[in-house]
């Protein structure tokens, strides 16, 4: 049978929402289920979900049941993640995997002296140019990371640039969860669980093993990716903040089931496995899931909905209050990776140096800029670029920011309007790929940002 029909779900039940325009973003055409970490149910055909069991002898509509496990079977209920998918073809119906672009792709999965370099120097990159003739997969490049995918320990930071949609190609990452930050252009993402439209100032999390394909409705696209090899992203604990604030669970959106019956045509399934790429061919769409239920599913979040917490008296609070999502380590309070933003907000602190303070950190800090001007560096750190401040490497506001912050009148006001900067923060020391170290967009004059900070010390005057 040859059919390219994509079947849309029936009108959404009461627990779903149709995304609307927010923060000047284009209207999202897709429907979602609201909530973070929920056990969702979704069916594109009424009655497609079995009642009372997961694997009946024959599933409704002649579908096949397939479990996708995001944690080991025996993980406690509070942390167990898995979903059941009811699909036209079992996903095992593909031909053998073969190496894809062996030796020429830009992805790294083991960060050692053979594959990467290291330096404690502060590093900044000007905006990465958008690749010509590449789609999302072929435009992936690793900036750096730590650990080893085979040991399920560590993380990676990637950049993607693309100007072509994926055509009958699906990507699957066996190595970890991907947190995708679009910077330029929307991403129209088809997943096995349904469709997601992600605009700049939104993020998407696609967990290990989920197949997806990326189309580019706005043309050339660029963005950042944080990949974690162990654990999953979760909401940070709020502690004394209370029950509400930061990223609220109700604002996360998970897609609803939608299936594609296309068969009799070649599809390529590209799998990232231990940092290498492999490809398998099959004669049907991988997006043929008619119904699903579970708590292991992709989701998106609009950063404009973040409820900002800050000081209303004095001093600059620690940036941990801006954490959107965290991937916890075995050490309480210490993250494999945090995703932190620096959103538009009021600043009212009195008798205070208001910009981010000078800092040496026991964590690694990779920063990117989605739009606008970052409050601590208004020149050189540009949308589509990045910076890395490694573990215990000094960093802080540049000279012009210091001069303004120490002389301005401290009136209540706004900061970061029209801006969205973010940080990937990690307990690991990051090693850099040769591609990142030698990239033509590396700003070798970055150190000069601090060289003209005025020295005002006077031992005779307090």
């Amino acid at each position: 049978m040859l059919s390219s029909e994509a079947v849309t779900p029936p009108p959404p039940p009461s627990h779903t929402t149709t995304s609307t325009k927010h923060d000047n973003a284009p209207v999202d055409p897709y429907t979602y289920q609201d909530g973070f970490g929920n056990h969702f149910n979704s069916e594109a055909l009424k009655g497609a979900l079995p009642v009372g069991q997961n694997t009946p002898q024959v599933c409704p509509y002649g579908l096949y049941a397939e479990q996708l496990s995001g944690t080991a079977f025996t993980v406690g209920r509070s942390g167990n993640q898995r979903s059941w998918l009811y699909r036209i073809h079992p996903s095992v119906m593909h031909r053998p995997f073969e190496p894809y672009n062996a030796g020429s792709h830009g992805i790294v999965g083991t960060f050692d002296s053979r594959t990467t370099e290291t330096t404690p120097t502060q590093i900044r990159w000007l905006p990465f140019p958008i690749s010509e003739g590449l789609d999302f997969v072929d435009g992936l490049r690793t900036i750096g990371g730590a650990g080893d995918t085979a040991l399920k320990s560590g993380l990676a930071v990637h950049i993607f640039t693309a100007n072509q949609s994926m055509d009958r190609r699906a990507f699957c990452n066996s190595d970890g969860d991907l947190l995708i930050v679009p910077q330029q252009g929307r991403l129209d993402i088809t997943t096995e669980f349904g469709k997601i439209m992600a605009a700049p100032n939104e993020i998407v999390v696609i967990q290990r093993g989920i197949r997806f394909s990326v189309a580019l409705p706005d043309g050339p696209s660029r963005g950042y990716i944080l990949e974690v090899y162990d654990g999953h992203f979760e909401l940070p604990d709020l502690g004394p903040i209370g029950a509400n604030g930061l990223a609220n669970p109700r604002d996360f959106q998970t897609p609803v089931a939608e299936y594609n019956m296309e068969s009799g045509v070649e599809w390529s399934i590209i799998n990232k496995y231990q940092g290498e790429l492999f490809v398998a061919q099959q004669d049907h769409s991988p997006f043929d899931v008619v119904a699903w239920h579970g708590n292991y599913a992709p989701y998106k979040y609009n950063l404009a909905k973040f409820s900002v917490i800050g000081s209303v008296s004095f001093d600059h609070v620690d940036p941990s209050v801006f954490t959107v999502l965290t991937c916890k380590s075995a050490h309480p309070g210490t993250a494999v990776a945090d995703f932190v933003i620096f959103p538009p907000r009021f600043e009212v602190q009195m008798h205070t140096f208001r910009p981010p303070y000078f800092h040496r950190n026991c964590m690694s800090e990779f920063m990117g800029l989605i739009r606008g001007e970052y409050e601590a560096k208004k020149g050189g750190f540009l949308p589509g670029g990045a910076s890395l401040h490694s573990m215990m490497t000094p960093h802080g506001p540049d000279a012009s920011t210091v001069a303004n912050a120490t002389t301005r009148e401290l009136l209540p006001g706004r900061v970061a309007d029209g801006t969205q900067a973010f940080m990937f923060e990690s307990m690991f020391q990051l090693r850099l790929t040769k591609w990142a170290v030698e990239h033509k967009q590396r700003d070798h004059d970055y150190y000069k940002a601090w060289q003209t900070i005025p020295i005002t010390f006077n031992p005779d005057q307090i």
Side-chain angles (χ1 to χ4, degrees):
M1 180 180 69
L2 175 59
S3 172
S4 59
E5 180 183 5
V7 182
T8 56
S14 59
H15 63 281
T16 65
T17 62
T18 300
S19 189
T20 56
K21 195 167 185 177
H22 191 88
D23 189 39
N24 297 319
V27 173
D28 186 333
Y30 301 135
T31 298
Y32 302 90
Q33 302 176 94
D34 297 332
F36 187 90
N38 297 14
H39 190 118
F40 294 109
N41 297 276
S42 185
E43 52 186 19
L45 290 177
K46 187 175 180 179
L49 284 174
V51 176
Q53 65 179 120
N54 294 320
T55 56
Q57 183 178 19
V58 178
C59 292
Y61 296 103
L63 300 171
Y64 289 95
E66 179 177 283
Q67 183 173 202
L68 179 61
S69 295
T71 56
F73 294 140
T74 51
V75 167
R77 286 205 175 201
S78 63
N80 203 296
Q81 296 189 32
R82 60 90 178 93
S83 287
W84 281 96
L85 288 71
Y86 299 90
R87 57 193 318 146
I88 299 171
H89 302 81
S91 61
V92 73
M93 294 179 66
H94 63 79
R95 297 189 283 281
F97 281 101
E98 299 177 354
Y100 178 81
N101 288 349
S104 62
H105 64 74
I107 298 174
V108 172
T110 301
F111 296 89
D112 57 27
S113 58
R114 295 172 299 131
T115 59
T116 53
E117 302 178 21
T118 187
T119 175
T121 296
Q122 304 94 339
I123 296 180
R124 181 166 70 188
W125 293 271
L126 301 175
F128 293 92
I130 295 178
S131 306
E132 293 289 332
L134 299 180
D135 63 15
F136 177 86
V137 173
D138 291 337
L140 276 175
R141 296 292 182 272
T142 303
I143 292 285
D148 190 329
T149 58
L151 301 177
K152 295 181 71 174
S153 175
L155 80 163
V157 175
H158 311 283
I159 295 289
F160 71 86
T161 65
N163 72 341
Q164 290 184 359
S165 298
M166 295 173 65
D167 183 15
R168 291 198 174 95
R169 285 155 53 95
F171 185 57
C172 175
N173 181 23
S174 295
D175 294 336
D177 291 7
L178 302 177
L179 189 157
I180 303 171
V181 185
Q183 184 274 318
Q184 176 178 324
R186 289 174 298 162
L187 304 181
D188 189 351
I189 305 174
T190 300
T191 79
E192 294 176 275
F193 293 79
K195 293 189 174 183
I196 298 174
M197 183 71 74
N201 212 45
E202 295 181 321
I203 60 169
V204 177
V205 172
I206 301 179
Q207 296 92 330
R208 183 195 307 265
I210 296 174
R211 295 176 175 181
F212 66 97
S213 184
V214 178
L216 308 178
D218 301 327
S221 181
R222 174 174 55 202
Y224 313 83
I225 297 177
L226 171 61
E227 179 183 9
V228 292
Y229 299 152
D230 185 22
H232 301 292
F233 290 104
E234 57 187 274
L235 294 173
D237 297 326
L238 294 181
I241 292 174
N244 305 286
L246 308 187
N248 289 307
R250 66 176 297 186
D251 293 325
F252 288 80
Q253 298 181 301
T254 293
V256 297
E258 179 174 331
Y259 65 96
N260 186 337
M261 294 176 59
E262 184 175 59
S263 62
V265 294
E266 287 293 294
W267 273 78
S268 298
I269 310 299
I270 302 169
N271 186 10
K272 185 168 86 69
Y273 181 79
Q274 294 191 29
E276 296 294 339
L277 296 182
F278 299 86
V279 62
Q281 304 298 326
Q282 62 185 49
D283 64 357
H284 58 274
S285 169
F287 306 118
D288 62 354
V289 176
V290 180
W292 63 270
H293 74 84
N295 62 351
Y296 190 65
Y299 55 86
K300 79 166 190 171
Y301 175 74
N302 189 325
L303 301 179
K305 296 183 178 181
F306 187 81
S307 179
V308 183
I309 303 294
S311 173
V312 293
S313 56
F314 60 89
D315 281 355
H316 190 291
V317 295
D318 294 332
S320 50
V321 299
F322 301 136
T323 301
V324 180
L325 292 170
T326 184
C327 178
K328 294 179 178 179
S329 74
H331 308 285
T334 305
V336 171
D338 286 328
F339 175 64
V340 180
I341 62 173
F342 302 95
R345 60 197 182 276
F346 282 96
E347 58 174 7
V348 299
Q349 312 99 300
M350 301 307 296
H351 315 294
T352 294
F353 184 80
R354 288 182 175 177
Y357 44 71
F358 293 102
H359 194 204
R360 288 182 293 167
N361 195 355
C362 64
M363 308 282 277
S364 300
E365 301 181 14
F366 176 90
M367 287 193 62
L369 186 61
I370 298 172
R371 63 189 185 191
E373 293 182 323
Y374 177 50
E375 61 201 270
K377 295 182 182 70
K378 294 189 176 181
F381 184 51
L382 303 173
S387 68
L388 174 63
H389 300 144
S390 295
M391 193 173 292
M392 291 301 174
T393 293
H395 55 278
D398 60 19
S400 61
T401 302
V402 172
N404 179 63
T406 53
T407 59
R408 60 178 289 197
E409 184 179 4
L410 295 180
L411 298 175
R414 297 281 298 170
V415 63
D417 281 335
T419 292
Q420 191 65 269
F422 71 87
M423 178 169 65
F424 300 153
E425 185 177 60
S426 174
M427 60 180 267
F428 290 105
Q429 293 180 313
L430 304 188
R431 298 181 63 92
L432 296 173
T433 62
K434 183 177 180 180
W435 179 84
V437 170
E438 299 179 355
H439 201 286
K440 65 180 182 180
Q441 294 298 89
R442 180 176 173 182
D443 182 0
H444 292 279
D445 292 331
Y446 184 30
Y447 74 96
K448 294 179 181 178
W450 298 284
Q451 300 309 305
T452 57
I453 294 174
I455 305 304
T456 58
F457 173 69
N458 183 346
D460 299 320
Q461 182 179 348
I462 296 179

